[in-house]
Amino acid sequence: MFFYAFTFRSLTAAQNARRLLLAQSITAELRRAPKQLSQQGCGYLLHVSARQGMAAYDALVHAGMQPEQQYRCFSNGDCQKVQL
Amino acid sequence: MIYLDAAATTLQKPPEVYEAIRTAMQTLASPGRGSYPAATQADEAVYDCRVLAAELFQAQPEQVVFTMNATHALNLAIKTLVKPHDRVVISGFEHNAVRRPLYRLGADTVIAGRTLFSPQDTLRAFEQALTRKTKAVVCTHVSNVFGYVLPVEQIAQLCYRRGVPFILDASQSAGVLPVSLRELHAAFICMPGHKGLYGAQGTGILLCGRLPESIMEGGTGSNSALPAMPEFLPDRAEAGTQNVCGICALREGLRFVSRKTPAAIAAREQALLRLFIEKLRGSDRIRLFSSGQDHVGALSFLVDGEDCEQTAQRLAENGICVRAGLHCAPLAHESAGTLQTGTLRVSVSAFNTHREVELAVEILKNP
């Protein structure tokens, strides 16, 4: 089982993205990015379920809020960068 | 006490504003700095306030930068656009929050529009003053001394057509008149949080139509590995721990204004000022600065044979709070010919009543 993690450059950008997704009934949980996913330090990400991940990504791109990176993350903590 | 100094700060606030400060102080940590509830709740509180401001002023949430006051916002805006010796056009009614940063920068400042209560003259003067060399226009929406509403929509249009960045000082208009970042195509709009938005002192907003320079660098909770400030909004202009208590108060103030609507607040305030004018007009001892047009927020006058500070003192002794002197806007007084005398200013908020106006006039007229 996995979930998608979308990274954003700032807290406000992640909050904007979460607000957009929520308006489309897509649940996204905002978290601070793990150090390994935060290239410049102190990044933010949204967790989206595997089921809603593609729809979430499409909605963000459509609204001009493309994440910096997309990851597929597993319960053991491993994350793989993916192209959606 | 009858408080008539809302142009300086609104002393009376909606009850939720006081409560928000207390709650924030007891429960919220620093936004953007942690994963624990007190920090993430602060994240949400600050973002809520950003969204409310963005909705009220037709901007995107990331275009809303929190500052410590309107002066801070104006300094950010002006120091982004103006370099030494640059030509800048300002109105004849600007506050020292505009004049002093320009003076400090050594800007070539051109003053356009000196005639009080003449929007046509103001607009014509701006049209004439704008040249190819003009690097920025800074204009107040409403004179903090006289309540004169400047034709900023037309001035902004003029700037947009000629490609000149426009900075609006909305210190006296935010929460009362329509202010739209999108409609004005402004480079920046600056406002306090503690006047017409009914938040706490120590808060202000800079609406950014473009990326500001940072005038203070530090931690932002983003891009922390890099030595330079982030190149994105709002982080670029928000270094250091934010005034979370103040922002929470401002959030409640914004909710109050949005609920009441700026138009309804303006109508109430204008009715109060009309009553002032009507009651004072009959007195031959009082020189009113009024054109018959609606004032926004403030009204100035002088009492014959009495220094304005003496009048203010006399009123203060009777529980009436007004402001006398130059109101940190000597340019406006220079334009109106009151630099030597100053004026007495009454300014109202959504919390004033007709009865308060009547009482104040009674005391004013009967020394």
Side-chain angles (χ1 to χ4, degrees):
Chain A
M1 198 56 193
F2 68 91
F3 60 86
Y4 287 101
F6 300 136
T7 62
F8 295 88
R9 62 188 186 180
S10 74
L11 174 60
T12 308
Q15 289 172 313
N16 278 339
R18 185 189 55 182
R19 182 165 168 248
L20 175 94
L21 295 178
L22 192 63
Q24 301 192 20
S25 303
I26 297 173
T27 307
E29 191 181 337
L30 196 158
R31 293 195 176 177
R32 284 173 72 84
K35 190 75 181 71
Q36 66 191 49
L37 304 189
S38 172
Q39 293 155 355
Q40 315 284 13
C42 296
Y44 298 86
L45 54 74
L46 293 181
H47 278 192
V48 180
S49 70
R51 188 174 57 82
Q52 292 187 300
M54 286 301 297
Y57 181 77
D58 288 344
L60 291 171
V61 170
H62 185 70
M65 296 182 182
Q66 182 148 9
E68 285 198 313
Q69 301 290 349
Q70 305 80 236
Y71 296 90
R72 196 172 281 168
C73 297
F74 299 88
S75 49
N76 65 0
D78 285 349
C79 290
Q80 298 166 351
K81 197 183 283 188
V82 291
Q83 297 293 327
L84 297 178
Chain B
M1 180 185 74
I2 297 175
Y3 187 77
L4 297 170
D5 199 15
T9 194
T10 46
L11 183 60
Q12 291 108 335
K13 315 282 185 186
E16 313 86 82
V17 170
Y18 307 120
E19 184 57 28
I21 289 185
R22 195 179 67 81
T23 305
M25 193 164 250
Q26 289 174 330
T27 61
L28 299 184
S30 190
R33 306 295 197 272
S35 303
Y36 51 92
T40 57
Q41 285 163 16
D43 294 347
E44 298 312 316
V46 171
Y47 184 67
D48 283 351
C49 189
R50 243 187 257 288
V51 170
L52 284 165
E55 286 172 353
L56 189 59
F57 302 115
Q58 299 190 311
Q60 296 301 317
E62 63 271 21
Q63 293 176 301
V64 177
V65 164
F66 293 117
T67 60
M68 63 178 90
N69 45 43
T71 298
H72 179 199
L74 281 161
N75 268 265
L76 272 161
I78 289 168
K79 287 168 183 172
T80 294
L81 295 174
V82 182
K83 302 291 172 263
H85 313 299
D86 278 354
R87 181 187 169 94
V88 181
V89 180
I90 67 174
S91 85
F93 297 92
E94 298 307 313
H95 191 274
N96 275 343
V98 169
R99 197 188 194 192
R100 284 181 170 168
L102 290 171
Y103 178 78
R104 172 79 174 80
L105 284 165
D108 172 16
T109 304
V110 177
I111 299 164
R114 290 284 204 166
T115 311
L116 191 55
F117 302 119
S118 177
Q120 296 87 344
D121 172 79
T122 302
L123 183 58
R124 200 177 314 118
F126 271 90
E127 276 170 345
Q128 287 166 0
L130 255 67
T131 69
R132 281 187 192 171
K133 289 183 177 172
T134 307
K135 298 293 183 190
V137 163
V138 193
C139 188
T140 188
H141 200 166
V142 175
S143 162
N144 70 308
V145 181
F146 300 102
Y148 164 42
V149 184
L150 282 80
V152 294
E153 288 85 3
Q154 293 92 322
I155 294 168
Q157 275 299 319
L158 179 70
C159 291
Y160 183 58
R161 282 200 307 272
R162 298 201 190 173
V164 178
F166 176 66
I167 299 172
L168 177 69
D169 177 0
S171 291
Q172 301 298 331
S173 60
V176 183
L177 294 178
V179 174
S180 165
L181 183 67
R182 193 174 64 214
E183 294 287 318
L184 293 176
H185 302 287
F188 298 104
I189 298 178
C190 311
M191 62 185 71
H194 60 97
K195 296 185 182 181
L197 300 181
Y198 296 93
Q201 291 174 22
T203 57
I205 290 175
L206 174 68
L207 300 173
C208 301
R210 61 173 65 193
L211 194 68
E213 295 293 334
S214 60
I215 58 172
M216 188 169 80
E217 292 77 28
T220 58
S222 57
N223 280 7
S224 300
L226 304 180
M229 286 294 281
E231 291 285 331
F232 48 81
L233 287 167
D235 302 38
R236 183 170 181 77
E238 291 185 348
T241 301
Q242 286 177 308
N243 177 3
V244 175
C245 297
I247 291 169
C248 287
L250 178 55
R251 177 183 60 174
E252 296 309 319
L254 284 164
R255 283 182 177 148
F256 170 80
V257 169
S258 300
R259 199 166 55 240
K260 291 264 180 199
T261 76
I265 293 172
R268 181 184 172 85
E269 291 183 7
Q270 285 169 341
L272 291 169
L273 292 177
R274 276 198 300 272
L275 182 63
F276 253 118
I277 292 167
E278 184 188 306
K279 297 271 180 193
L280 293 177
R281 193 159 264 161
S283 170
D284 53 5
R285 288 190 62 234
I286 290 170
R287 182 186 168 199
L288 264 178
F289 294 88
S290 173
S291 68
Q293 295 167 354
D294 271 337
H295 291 243
V296 167
L299 171 69
S300 262
F301 54 91
L302 284 166
V303 178
D304 220 18
E306 200 173 40
D307 185 289
C308 64
E309 293 287 1
Q310 283 179 315
T311 315
Q313 180 64 37
R314 180 163 63 80
L315 289 170
E317 285 161 8
N318 285 280
I320 316 287
C321 311
V322 299
R323 173 127 178 235
L326 296 182
H327 314 92
C328 297
L331 201 55
H333 284 283
E334 209 176 278
S335 296
T338 52
L339 190 60
Q340 298 309 314
T341 59
T343 59
L344 194 75
R345 180 190 73 185
V346 293
S347 53
V348 294
S349 79
F351 290 94
N352 288 115
T353 65
H354 281 63
R355 182 68 190 134
E356 287 181 328
V357 172
E358 285 165 353
L359 284 168
V361 170
E362 203 173 298
I363 291 166
L364 191 65
K365 282 177 152 178
N366 301 296

